[in-house]
Amino acid sequence: MKSKAWIGIDPGASGAIAVIYESGNVCWMKNDSTEHELADWVRDVAGTFDCSAVIEQVNAMPKQGVSSTFKFGKSFGFLIGILTALQVPYESYRPQGWQKHMRCLTKGDKNVSKAAAQRLWPSTKITHANADALLIAEFCRQIREQR
């Protein structure tokens, strides 16, 4: 029987994919990696562990340009494609949903999620790039464990 792992995905260009392992260890990969690197990384995790995932649901934002909106949607679709191809069960949640559950409503202030992640993983280097992904992975772990 495979050990469990929970994947959290912040699909933004400056976001990351994070994994929390049943052992309590965490790791992540920034989304600025190539598509092949991201796919290979998730494939390695999904091939070794019994995984489930939560991806942050995205939508266009006011005053966001057409090009950046397209890139955001493309990244979201690509990441869902990886999860689907690897048969990793996933759910998508709006930021307000997972943030409320994790008690870190940011209202756009990334420092809020960074501080919340640092409290959960005090010995881990938390950055603006990995904070949301780690918190989404922890949210995934919590909701899956409740079922």
Side-chain angles (χ1 to χ4, degrees), residues 4-140:
K4 292 182 182 179
W6 300 273
I7 301 171
I9 303 175
D10 174 2
S14 62
I17 302 172
V19 179
I20 299 174
Y21 299 101
E22 195 168 27
S23 66
N25 292 336
V26 299
C27 67
W28 61 88
M29 179 176 244
K30 289 172 60 173
N31 290 347
D32 63 1
S33 304
T34 69
E35 290 177 342
H36 287 286
E37 289 170 334
L38 289 168
D40 288 346
W41 190 79
V42 175
R43 185 191 68 234
D44 290 346
V45 172
T48 307
F49 297 90
D50 177 16
C51 297
S52 56
V54 168
I55 185 168
E56 185 174 72
Q57 186 175 325
V58 299
N59 55 298
M61 296 183 295
K63 299 182 182 178
Q64 187 176 25
V66 174
S67 177
S68 59
T69 299
F70 181 80
K71 286 179 187 175
F72 203 28
K74 180 182 173 201
S75 174
F76 181 76
F78 168 74
L79 293 163
I80 285 181
I82 290 173
L83 297 173
T84 302
L86 296 172
Q87 299 182 347
V88 174
Y90 72 89
E91 298 176 67
S92 60
Y93 281 85
R94 293 173 41 81
Q96 299 84 348
W98 70 260
Q99 289 174 5
K100 181 178 179 185
H101 179 90
M102 295 303 296
R103 296 184 174 98
C104 65
L105 287 169
T106 66
K107 298 180 184 168
D109 182 358
K110 284 278 202 177
N111 290 318
V112 173
S113 56
K114 185 178 175 188
Q118 195 66 73
R119 284 190 299 275
L120 288 173
W121 298 283
S123 61
T124 300
K125 181 172 174 52
I126 302 298
T127 66
H128 290 294
N130 67 16
D132 282 2
L134 284 165
L135 290 168
I136 294 167
E138 175 60 17
F139 171 71
C140 180

